[in-house]
Amino acid sequence: MRWLIVLLLLANVIVFAWYSQGVSPDRLVGSEDKGVVRLLAEVNADDLLRRDTGAAGESPKIELSCAVISGLYTDEEAAQVFEALQGYDLDGLLRDRRKDEVLGYEVSVSLPLSVLQLERLRAEGFTLRKFNQQMVAQFVDFNAARDVRVRLAPEMEADISALERKTGGFEVWVSSYDQEKTASKIKLIAARLGLLLKIEKKLCKGVASTQSRE
């Protein structure tokens, strides 16, 4: 019995020694050394990479300035300035800033009319417009024009139309890479055409340019 216990202990020692020699030291290490582990809250925000800053080395967006020419009130003036810009190698965009302004309202009745009808219209303030053969009266207020038409109906059919005019003018937006040179060229154009132009500096909007910048 004693020899049996001794043999079992000896067998355990031999097996332990054999396993110890077949396992590499690296496998005996419980975990790989991956450096110091820190929580996100412990990291300085300045050390973190931001994903919304764009590609590395990308330059910030630059907003270009334009020279905006105003003081142009007719189609002819706007066309002359726009064409002259091309002779000075300036790129521009023509914009119509005019608006319709209602000055009043006109009531019109077409001829032929009877003598009694003509007398009635004259009593209401109508006058004869010969080129289109109409009796017309003009009013500042729409309600006044409407009241006259109601009084004439159904004996006479009257029409109401708005009296409008264009207010404002045109603008020419010029790509301005060298503000002083651009302004000088525009002043030369104004002097040559005999126009009193106004030049303002604004952020470019929808003005495409084929010129290159250094």
Side-chain angles (χ1 to χ4, degrees):
M1 188 67 178
R2 181 184 300 172
W3 288 105
L4 179 60
I5 296 175
V6 172
L7 288 175
L8 290 175
L9 291 175
L10 181 61
N12 288 335
V13 172
I14 293 173
V15 172
F16 179 79
W18 181 78
Y19 273 105
S20 299
Q21 292 177 0
V23 179
S24 62
D26 294 337
R27 295 181 61 183
L28 296 177
V29 179
S31 61
E32 184 181 355
D33 186 8
K34 297 183 180 180
V36 179
V37 178
R38 293 187 294 170
L39 297 176
L40 182 60
E42 300 174 349
V43 181
N44 189 345
D46 296 334
D47 296 335
L48 299 177
L49 294 179
R50 298 183 182 274
R51 295 182 180 270
D52 58 350
T53 55
E58 182 180 352
S59 58
K61 183 179 179 181
I62 300 176
E63 294 182 321
L64 303 179
S65 296
C66 278
V68 181
I69 306 172
S70 58
L72 304 167
Y73 301 103
T74 65
D75 297 272
E76 183 181 1
E77 292 176 349
Q80 287 178 343
V81 171
F82 189 74
E83 292 176 1
L85 291 173
Q86 301 176 8
Y88 285 87
D89 296 326
L90 294 175
D91 296 323
L93 178 66
L94 180 62
R95 289 175 172 168
D96 190 347
R97 299 301 193 190
R98 295 175 300 173
K99 295 181 180 180
D100 291 329
E101 179 185 7
V102 177
L103 302 178
Y105 301 89
E106 182 178 83
V107 180
S108 59
V109 180
S110 299
L111 300 179
L113 297 169
S114 67
V115 175
L116 292 178
Q117 289 175 330
L118 290 174
E119 290 179 353
R120 182 179 176 185
L121 290 175
R122 291 191 179 97
E124 292 280 359
F126 283 74
T127 58
L128 175 63
R129 180 183 288 162
K130 292 183 179 181
F131 73 89
N132 60 358
Q133 291 296 292
Q134 286 183 328
M135 295 292 288
V136 297
Q138 295 179 353
F139 304 89
V140 175
D141 184 64
F142 175 79
N143 292 330
R146 182 189 57 190
D147 292 342
V148 170
R149 184 178 64 176
V150 171
R151 287 198 299 270
L152 295 177
E155 182 183 352
M156 288 177 280
E157 183 178 352
D159 297 321
I160 299 179
S161 57
L163 301 174
E164 299 177 339
R165 70 174 180 182
K166 293 287 186 180
T167 60
F170 296 87
E171 289 181 349
V172 180
W173 289 60
V174 182
S175 302
S176 177
Y177 298 130
D178 191 319
Q179 297 179 15
E180 294 184 2
K181 290 183 179 180
T182 301
S184 299
K185 291 179 180 180
I186 295 174
K187 290 178 181 179
L188 290 175
I189 293 173
R192 192 183 76 185
L193 299 177
L195 299 174
L196 184 61
L197 302 179
K198 182 180 179 181
I199 306 174
E200 296 180 274
K201 176 184 174 183
K202 297 182 180 180
L203 291 180
C204 295
K205 295 180 180 179
V207 181
S209 174
T210 58
Q211 297 181 359
S212 61
R213 279 196 312 137
E214 295 182 358

